[in-house]
Amino acid sequence: MIESKIKVLRKAAQVSTTQSSDKIWCVIAGNEEMVNNVAYSAISSKERVKILFREHVNLKESFVRKKFDFIMLYGDTDKIRELSLICKENGGAYLKIAPYYVKNESNLLLLVAPDNAIKKFAGDAEKGQIPFSFILEDTTTGFIETDVYLTDHLPQIVRDIVDPLFKMSDVVLSTILLSLEEENIQKIKEVAESNKVFVVEFNEIIEEE
């Protein structure tokens, strides 16, 4: 396990041998351990990259609880590239958002949710005739953590028997950046909320350097 992480870090360090003063935004999403690794690397290089925020999401659907983390970063292109490689090598999803998108696309919204919720959201938005454009998209290659929350109050011996029978292991996470007209922002946020999709208005988290 340790050797694997060392290989990833070495590979990340070799991604680019050039220095760049360009800065971009990046969202990284996946399981808690992967995001912890990214956050640690970001903190250790705080002169090159800044953590804008981090969220730990706990969703309940039917009998199942789905858990995932995501983090928003801003910093040097080369360092962001390193962190995104660590993310992808560990099964996460990432979106690198260049200033070009901020300048040329209107009203950017960032969506993070299990893949089935994102697809349901897109279908509901289409039915509601709410126009929007997909700008960037990525999906985890590793599964997020899930468990059956209805067993929380059962004796531990019963949980040990029941949980493995119902535990899901094939839930992937999607990250989407979309653009839309200002008059449709509230409508799309309502559709997202009804589908338990986490939404961030990108313009609200932009930090000028």
Side-chain angles (χ1 to χ4, degrees):
M1 187 67 173
I2 294 176
E3 290 181 357
S4 176
K5 289 183 179 180
I6 291 174
K7 288 179 181 178
V8 171
L9 291 171
R10 284 175 177 170
K11 187 175 179 182
Q14 295 170 356
V15 167
S16 175
T17 58
T18 61
Q19 295 297 316
S20 171
S21 59
D22 294 337
K23 292 188 176 183
I24 61 173
W25 294 267
C26 181
V27 60
I28 287 176
N31 62 56
E32 183 177 7
E33 181 181 3
M34 183 277 295
V35 176
N36 282 344
N37 290 338
V38 171
Y40 177 82
S41 183
I43 291 169
S44 65
S45 302
K46 60 183 180 180
E47 72 282 357
R48 297 181 62 195
V49 66
K50 183 184 300 183
I51 298 175
L52 300 182
F53 69 85
R54 177 177 178 173
E55 293 286 342
H56 179 73
V57 182
N58 193 326
L59 298 177
K60 291 182 179 180
E61 296 180 7
S62 300
F63 305 121
V64 179
R65 178 167 46 209
K66 302 177 181 181
K67 305 174 184 177
F68 60 89
D69 283 41
F70 69 96
I71 190 169
M72 176 69 79
L73 307 167
Y74 177 72
D76 293 347
T77 302
D78 292 338
K79 185 61 183 180
I80 293 293
R81 188 181 295 117
E82 293 176 17
L83 297 178
S84 63
L85 177 60
I86 293 171
C87 163
K88 190 54 70 173
E89 289 281 355
N90 287 276
Y94 70 86
L95 299 178
K96 291 188 286 189
I97 306 165
Y100 169 85
Y101 297 114
V102 179
K103 183 181 297 184
N104 294 284
E105 299 291 345
S106 59
N107 303 304
L108 296 174
L109 291 185
L110 172 68
L111 310 181
V112 184
D115 189 55
N116 64 324
I118 290 288
K119 290 176 180 176
K120 178 67 164 52
F121 154 82
D124 288 351
E126 183 181 10
K127 290 177 186 176
Q129 298 183 329
I130 309 171
F132 64 89
S133 300
F134 282 107
I135 306 301
L136 298 169
E137 179 180 6
D138 194 29
T139 303
T140 57
T141 56
F143 301 132
I144 63 174
E145 182 182 353
T146 62
D147 60 26
V148 183
Y149 70 85
L150 290 182
T151 63
D152 285 352
H153 302 296
L154 294 176
Q156 186 62 47
I157 189 171
V158 178
R159 291 181 60 186
D160 291 342
I161 297 173
V162 174
D163 277 352
L165 299 178
F166 293 93
K167 192 173 182 66
M168 300 171 64
S169 60
D170 58 351
V171 179
V172 298
L173 195 65
S174 287
T175 53
I176 304 285
L177 184 70
L178 57 83
S179 172
L180 70 168
E181 297 301 322
E182 186 173 359
E183 61 266 23
N184 292 317
I185 292 178
Q186 188 55 41
K187 295 177 184 177
I188 211 77
K189 288 173 70 175
E190 290 172 0
V191 175
E193 183 177 352
S194 68
N195 285 285
K196 297 184 178 180
V197 172
F198 200 97
V199 181
V200 177
E201 290 190 53
F202 192 75
N203 290 341
E204 294 184 356
I205 55 92
I206 292 176
E207 291 194 10
E208 297 294 338
E209 290 297 313

